[in-house]
Amino acid sequence: MRKLIRKILLETVKDGKVICDECGWSWDISDGGDDLYTCHKCGHDNTPKSQSNLNKLLEKFKMNFPEELRDKVQSIENFVVDYIQDNNFTVKFLNSCSTGFMGVRTKDQIIICSPHSMATLGDFIYTVFHEIRHEEQMDKTKLGLDNPLTDYDLEDFEKVAKQYWDLEMDADRFGKEMIAKLVIKLGIPMDIAKEQFKVSPYIQNYPSASKMVIYSLQQIVNGIKDIKKSGEEYTDIQDHPMVKRHLDKLENFI
């Protein structure tokens, strides 16, 4: 898997030359003939791959970095891709939405909502790993914790809310820890890190937002009750109208 990712990331054209990601051989584009991207030495196909949604987004944040540190953005992409691929997570982009959430974990995928609207790289990294943590929480082979929206009696809202908030606080901690881990791993100077990896006040103060989050949870729970009363099936948050109406608009993350 790592070899596949490396190929996708490294296949490239530079300074009028094609560089083979398989063996490192290079040749002038003008000498490529009919098979421009086929390596003249090992036969590998080096046709450039289209940019992923993740790559396009990181290119935007890359321009905010000091020029001497812009190569670190590629390492950030590698870090995120490796974590997702190594754990077999399915992550999707929802490039335009009005859901009110930055991300959501469903039984089929992790959804990152309107990432191009996120103000900072820190907000994006936090959101990705916040939602990844929810997947780890629900995965029976990992943390295997209770899902309050499917495992609990929704009439016992106090119990539902407590478990929901506990899961949120664990995901909040994990998201912020992963930002710190990235900064340390990449050796980003602290003054640069504070600027490039800062998070919005909402994320920074998220542990103090319990009343607002629980209020929103109450609306979600009421919606689930309405779905069940109408005779429709509810098995997961993606059956809720606020998520369901966006499922056909999801795009690949990497």
Side-chain angles (χ1 to χ4, degrees):
M1 184 60 72
R2 287 180 180 274
K3 184 177 180 181
L4 173 61
I5 296 170
R6 176 180 173 274
K7 288 182 179 181
I8 293 173
L9 293 174
L10 294 184
E11 285 171 355
T12 186
V13 178
K14 292 182 179 179
D15 300 325
K17 290 181 177 291
V18 180
I19 302 172
C20 180
D21 65 278
E22 187 71 18
C23 70
W25 184 260
S26 65
W27 61 95
D28 291 334
I29 290 178
S30 59
D31 296 335
D34 294 334
D35 296 318
L36 176 60
Y37 296 107
T38 299
C39 181
H40 301 186
K41 186 174 183 180
C42 73
H44 177 68
D45 183 3
N46 292 275
T47 302
K49 303 297 189 295
S50 59
Q51 280 186 301
S52 67
N53 274 308
L54 173 60
N55 185 265
K56 291 176 184 177
L57 178 65
L58 291 179
E59 281 295 313
K60 182 189 78 169
F61 289 122
K62 181 178 182 178
M63 294 302 100
N64 298 326
F65 274 68
E67 188 171 353
E68 67 273 14
L69 292 175
R70 286 179 183 171
D71 63 328
K72 299 289 187 181
V73 176
Q74 182 62 66
S75 298
I76 293 171
E77 181 172 353
N78 295 350
F79 181 86
V80 173
V81 169
D82 284 351
Y83 197 96
I84 291 170
Q85 296 282 7
D86 289 348
N87 290 281
N88 294 315
F89 295 137
T90 300
V91 184
K92 299 287 186 178
F93 263 31
L94 182 55
N95 272 318
S96 179
C97 65
S98 56
T99 59
F101 56 77
M102 297 172 68
V104 62
R105 176 263 173 197
T106 77
K107 64 183 178 65
D108 293 331
Q109 64 261 309
I110 296 163
I111 302 172
I112 307 301
C113 186
S114 294
H116 288 280
S117 299
M118 295 181 185
T120 70
L121 178 59
D123 281 5
F124 173 69
I125 298 297
Y126 169 88
T127 302
V128 169
F129 284 103
H130 182 110
E131 298 306 327
I132 281 177
R133 185 59 169 182
H134 284 318
E135 177 63 22
E136 293 176 344
Q137 291 166 347
M138 298 299 103
D139 190 334
K140 299 304 181 185
T141 67
K142 297 184 185 298
L143 298 179
L145 304 178
D146 290 340
N147 184 333
L149 297 180
T150 56
D151 296 335
Y152 291 176
D153 180 357
L154 296 183
E155 297 301 328
D156 188 352
F157 184 72
E158 183 176 351
K159 181 179 180 180
V160 170
K162 182 182 184 307
Q163 175 69 356
Y164 187 90
W165 186 243
D166 286 347
L167 296 175
E168 283 296 301
M169 286 297 92
D170 177 64
D172 176 73
R173 174 194 56 76
F174 185 74
K176 291 170 179 173
E177 285 181 356
M178 292 304 281
I179 293 175
K181 184 175 182 178
L182 253 179
V183 169
I184 295 170
K185 179 181 178 67
L186 300 181
I188 304 292
M190 192 53 61
D191 58 329
I192 302 297
K194 286 181 178 178
E195 181 63 28
Q196 299 301 328
F197 290 88
K198 66 183 178 183
V199 295
S200 62
Y202 174 74
I203 293 175
Q204 185 177 347
N205 300 315
Y206 192 61
S208 301
S210 60
K211 289 184 179 180
M212 180 178 66
V213 173
I214 297 305
Y215 175 80
S216 297
L217 174 63
Q218 181 70 76
Q219 310 313 306
I220 293 171
V221 168
N222 290 342
I224 296 172
K225 290 180 180 179
D226 290 341
I227 292 171
K228 293 180 175 181
K229 285 179 182 178
S230 70
E232 296 182 47
E233 184 180 26
Y234 178 86
T235 60
D236 181 74
I237 192 65
Q238 70 181 22
D239 295 325
H240 196 289
M242 73 173 185
V243 177
K244 188 175 183 178
R245 69 176 182 267
H246 295 291
L247 294 179
D248 63 343
K249 304 180 183 69
L250 299 180
E251 300 179 26
N252 288 333
F253 183 85
I254 55 178

